[in-house]
Coordinates of all heavy atoms in Angstrom, one line a residue:
Q1 N 202.0 38.6 93.2 CA 200.6 38.9 93.0 C 199.7 38.3 94.0 O 198.7 39.0 94.5 CB 200.2 38.5 91.6 CG 198.8 39.0 91.2 CD 198.7 40.4 91.4 OE1 199.3 41.2 90.7 NE2 197.5 40.8 92.0
R2 N 200.0 37.1 94.4 CA 199.1 36.4 95.4 C 199.2 37.1 96.7 O 198.2 37.3 97.4 CB 199.6 34.9 95.5 CG 198.7 34.1 96.3 CD 197.3 33.7 95.5 NE 196.4 33.1 96.3 CZ 195.3 33.7 96.7 NH1 195.0 35.0 96.4 NH2 194.4 33.0 97.5
V3 N 200.4 37.5 97.1 CA 200.6 38.2 98.4 C 199.9 39.5 98.3 O 199.2 39.9 99.3 CB 202.2 38.4 98.6 CG1 202.3 39.4 99.7 CG2 202.9 37.1 99.0
A4 N 200.0 40.3 97.2 CA 199.3 41.5 97.1 C 197.8 41.4 97.2 O 197.1 42.1 98.0 CB 199.6 42.3 95.8
D5 N 197.2 40.2 96.7 CA 195.7 40.1 96.8 C 195.4 39.6 98.3 O 194.4 40.1 98.8 CB 195.3 38.8 95.9 CG 195.5 39.2 94.4 OD1 195.6 40.4 94.2 OD2 195.5 38.2 93.6
I6 N 196.3 38.9 99.0 CA 196.0 38.5 100.4 C 196.1 39.7 101.3 O 195.2 39.9 102.1 CB 197.0 37.4 100.8 CG1 196.8 36.0 100.1 CG2 196.9 37.2 102.3 CD1 197.8 35.1 100.3
L7 N 197.0 40.6 101.1 CA 197.1 41.7 101.9 C 195.9 42.6 101.8 O 195.3 43.1 102.7 CB 198.4 42.5 101.6 CG 199.8 41.8 101.9 CD1 200.9 42.9 101.5 CD2 199.9 41.4 103.3
A8 N 195.6 42.8 100.5 CA 194.4 43.7 100.3 C 193.2 43.1 100.9 O 192.2 43.8 101.4 CB 194.2 43.9 98.8
D9 N 193.0 41.8 100.8 CA 191.8 41.1 101.3 C 191.7 41.2 102.8 O 190.6 41.6 103.4 CB 191.8 39.6 100.8 CG 190.3 39.0 101.0 OD1 189.4 39.8 101.0 OD2 190.3 37.9 101.0
V10 N 192.9 40.9 103.5 CA 192.9 41.1 105.0 C 192.7 42.6 105.4 O 191.9 42.8 106.4 CB 194.2 40.6 105.5 CG1 194.3 40.8 107.0 CG2 194.4 39.0 105.3
Q11 N 193.2 43.5 104.7 CA 193.0 44.9 105.0 C 191.5 45.3 104.9 O 190.9 46.0 105.7 CB 193.8 45.8 104.1 CG 193.8 47.3 104.5 CD 194.8 48.1 103.7 OE1 195.2 47.7 102.6 NE2 195.2 49.2 104.2
K12 N 190.8 44.7 104.0 CA 189.4 45.0 103.7 C 188.5 44.2 104.6 O 187.6 44.7 105.2 CB 189.1 44.7 102.2 CG 187.6 45.0 101.8 CD 187.4 44.6 100.4 CE 185.9 44.8 100.0 NZ 185.7 44.5 98.5
R13 N 188.7 42.8 104.8 CA 187.8 42.0 105.4 C 188.2 41.5 106.8 O 187.5 40.9 107.6 CB 187.5 40.8 104.7 CG 186.7 41.1 103.3 CD 186.1 39.8 102.8 NE 187.1 38.8 102.3 CZ 187.0 37.5 102.7 NH1 186.1 37.1 103.5 NH2 188.0 36.7 102.4
G14 N 189.4 41.8 107.2 CA 189.9 41.6 108.5 C 189.9 40.1 109.0 O 190.4 39.2 108.3
D15 N 189.2 39.8 110.1 CA 189.2 38.5 110.7 C 188.7 37.4 109.7 O 189.1 36.3 109.7 CB 188.4 38.5 111.9 CG 189.1 39.2 113.1 OD1 190.4 39.3 113.0 OD2 188.4 39.5 114.1
A16 N 187.7 37.8 109.0 CA 187.0 36.8 108.1 C 188.0 36.4 107.0 O 188.0 35.1 106.7 CB 185.8 37.5 107.4
A17 N 188.8 37.3 106.5 CA 189.8 36.9 105.6 C 190.9 36.0 106.1 O 191.4 34.9 105.6 CB 190.4 38.1 104.9
V18 N 191.3 36.3 107.4 CA 192.3 35.6 108.1 C 191.9 34.1 108.3 O 192.5 33.1 108.2 CB 192.7 36.2 109.5 CG1 193.6 35.3 110.3 CG2 193.4 37.5 109.3
L19 N 190.5 34.0 108.7 CA 189.9 32.7 109.0 C 189.9 31.8 107.7 O 190.3 30.7 107.7 CB 188.6 32.8 109.6 CG 188.4 33.3 111.0 CD1 187.0 33.7 111.3 CD2 188.9 32.2 112.0
E20 N 189.6 32.5 106.6 CA 189.5 31.8 105.3 C 190.8 31.3 104.9 O 191.0 30.2 104.4 CB 188.9 32.8 104.2 CG 188.7 32.2 102.9 CD 188.1 33.2 101.8 OE1 187.2 33.9 102.2 OE2 188.7 33.3 100.7
Y21 N 191.9 32.3 105.0 CA 193.2 31.8 104.5 C 193.9 30.7 105.5 O 194.5 29.8 104.9 CB 194.1 33.0 104.3 CG 193.7 33.9 103.2 CD1 193.4 35.3 103.5 CD2 193.6 33.5 102.0 CE1 193.0 36.1 102.4 CE2 193.2 34.2 100.9 CZ 193.0 35.6 101.1 OH 192.5 36.4 100.1
T22 N 193.5 30.9 106.7 CA 194.1 29.8 107.6 C 193.4 28.5 107.3 O 194.1 27.4 107.5 CB 193.7 30.2 109.1 OG1 194.4 31.5 109.4 CG2 194.3 29.2 110.1
A23 N 192.2 28.4 107.0 CA 191.5 27.2 106.6 C 192.2 26.7 105.3 O 192.5 25.4 105.1 CB 190.1 27.4 106.5
R24 N 192.4 27.5 104.3 CA 192.9 27.1 103.0 C 194.3 26.7 103.0 O 194.7 25.7 102.5 CB 192.7 28.3 102.0 CG 193.1 27.9 100.6 CD 193.0 29.1 99.6 NE 191.7 29.8 99.7 CZ 191.5 31.0 99.1 NH1 192.4 31.5 98.3 NH2 190.4 31.6 99.2
F25 N 195.2 27.4 103.7 CA 196.6 27.1 103.6 C 197.2 26.2 104.8 O 198.0 25.5 104.6 CB 197.4 28.5 103.6 CG 197.1 29.4 102.4 CD1 196.9 30.7 102.6 CD2 197.1 28.9 101.2 CE1 196.6 31.6 101.5 CE2 196.8 29.7 100.1 CZ 196.5 31.0 100.3
D26 N 196.6 26.3 105.9 CA 197.0 25.5 107.0 C 196.0 24.3 107.3 O 196.3 23.6 108.3 CB 197.1 26.4 108.3 CG 198.2 27.4 108.2 OD1 199.1 27.1 107.4 OD2 198.3 28.3 108.9

């Protein structure tokens, strides 16, 4: 479920989502 949410968010918001998850997870 978490992966599904991340994929959908990156598909929708692109770079902004990638930056957010990179800050959160890495």
Side-chain angles (χ1 to χ4, degrees):
Q1 185 56 57
R2 191 74 188 108
V3 166
D5 292 343
I6 293 171
L7 295 182
D9 196 19
V10 172
Q11 189 174 22
K12 180 180 179 181
R13 296 197 295 130
D15 287 343
V18 171
L19 288 167
E20 181 181 315
Y21 292 122
T22 300
R24 185 184 308 175
F25 298 134
D26 289 343

